Amino acid sequence: MKLILIGAMGAVLSNSLVSYFKWYYSVGSKFLKKAWLATISIVLANVFSQVFAILAFLLPLKVVILVGTQRIPRYFPSAFSVFDHETLILMLGGLSAVFYVVHLGLEKLIGVFSDISTKKLLAANNKVVLFENQEDVAKDGYSRYARSLGGGILILLISAGIAYLSSLVFFIILGFAFFLCSIGYYLCRRDEKFSNTYLSSFVKVGASVGFLLVFLSILIFFFTGREIQPLSAILTLILARQLTGKSVGAFHDMTWLNSRKNQLNVLFFHGHVLLPSSKSQAADFWSHINKDTLRVIIGKSGGERYSLGGEPMEFNFRQSGVPDVIAFDVFHSASVAEEERASLYLKIYGEKRSRLSDHEALILTLQEGLPVPNLLNVGKLGDFKWHLFDFTGHREVSRKEARLCAWKVVANMMSVPPSSALISSYTRSRQMMWGQINDVLFKRLSVAVIGAGLEVQAQLASFFHCREIIFQKLSSLPLAIVNPDLKADSLFVNFEKEYVCGNWGRWCLEPVGAGWPLDDWALDKLPEAVELARSRRDDLKDVGIASVTLSAFIYEFLALCQRQSFKEALVLLPQINSMLQNSSTDLEAVN
């Protein structure tokens, strides 16, 4: 299986094997130059550790064979014949335990030497801290390099052992390894996603199939009368299993080294700077977006059906307000005035924003009456999802206008009763906001009030003392849809002078009142919004303005705590406690 490692690495890397092993050699030279004694010791310790581990698990098998017989089998080594039956059993059992202890001791020694060598190598470069956990990365990289090198030496030794025991089995393994790496190389060249996602599983399955092939080959040898000693067959199977395991282990170590190649270069070599990783560059979907891509998406969506007309189409970039979500206005270049032309609003989500896309699609398909442009279609192009909206008659709002009109969108959402399907889907998977007032939050806030004065500490204690009242008040309120993305980049006004929101990837369901702005002028408009909502929702008929206000304050308090803006959150406690005190008094009066 030694060529599995080479073939698999050839499939993983975009550069040639020669380029990779040149880098591998240069790293080894660096380690030997700066910490030659520790590096050689670790490589040898890795080899001997694995040899002792193999012997520790091989000898018990011999003990089991001996226990099942009355005498020493003839196929055992002749050196064993000088011992009697029981003495040999005890000796092999004891040696197995000794070998395992030596294996553990060598593994501990490898860890100690790795720590010492890593610190020495980092000190030699004398660089500033470049990224989080860089010492852990350096230590892991150094130990994995030594382990992969030791694994490679062990693979050669095991291969030589198999060739000595059965040259035919050795050539079968060699042929299968060549076949496996050829298939892996072909699949990775055909589809880059295979190397990133499925290659590791492919190597594991291939190694298992290779071991099964060795087992079947030995069975065929027995059935066809080909001479093979039982002990040789057993040893060949054991060595083949070790060979496949070590090959997979070395493959994982070397792919890990390749994935951290840029970081390791920066840590161990002068003249290297930290660059974006290849994985980050691959995930940067901005480089994939161009007019041709946009035309393909519109074609897939059937954009010509939405009164857009034919070619040529124009695309205007629009800032979405969400990182790695790209938005465009789409319209026909021959259209009339901007306010009269038919247009679409296209949003494309990066691979890491897939959850936002799914969450937005969920509410827009399960809920009616939302302040949102009409959703026309959703789809996927490669790894990137997209949503297409009818944007005819919509215009953007200024930042000043957005601050002043956000409450109107919240009032509109408050007036829309969530559908039963939406409530069922959400409450099965998400925690409501009263559940966030727990011991974990209390411990964090207890840290935040250190040195803040007795009055603030008393306010915090009073708030958590009223948890039962908070639960009763909030859980009794009807739910409303909350959208925290009411910013200038996502707010628009349509031809009916209604404000709508273009981003719904972070919506949630909370007690009515949650999400309402806490500015004085906005709080003055809350009774008007509640009255409007009561006229549209029967479940709000008996809801008081005090409970809705409490919900708004606690939602903002928890949002600030989630952002760890604890000082700002603590400022809200006196007003919240005052409302809770009034609620407590009302409950006592009712009782």
Side-chain angles (χ1 to χ4, degrees), residues 461-481:
S462 175
F463 175 75
F464 275 89
H465 182 71
C466 295
R467 275 193 289 185
E468 188 62 31
I469 298 174
I470 294 172
F471 174 80
Q472 292 178 9
K473 297 294 291 184
L474 296 183
S475 61
S476 65
L477 289 173
L479 296 178
I481 299 165

Side-chain angles (χ1 to χ4, degrees), residues 487-507:
K487 304 170 185 176
D489 292 327
S490 60
L491 287 176
F492 311 101
V493 60
N494 60 23
F495 54 85
E496 295 177 348
K497 306 302 181 183
E498 296 175 336
Y499 291 98
V500 298
C501 181
N503 289 329
W504 290 82
R506 295 190 177 95
W507 67 270

Side-chain angles (χ1 to χ4, degrees), residues 318 338-339 343 372-374 390-396 492-495 498 500:
R318 180 180 290 279
E338 180 178 351
E339 63 274 8
S343 62
V372 61
N374 183 32
D390 182 4
F391 209 57
T392 303
H394 290 72
R395 67 166 178 84
E396 61 185 9
F492 311 101
V493 60
N494 60 23
F495 54 85
E498 296 175 336
V500 298

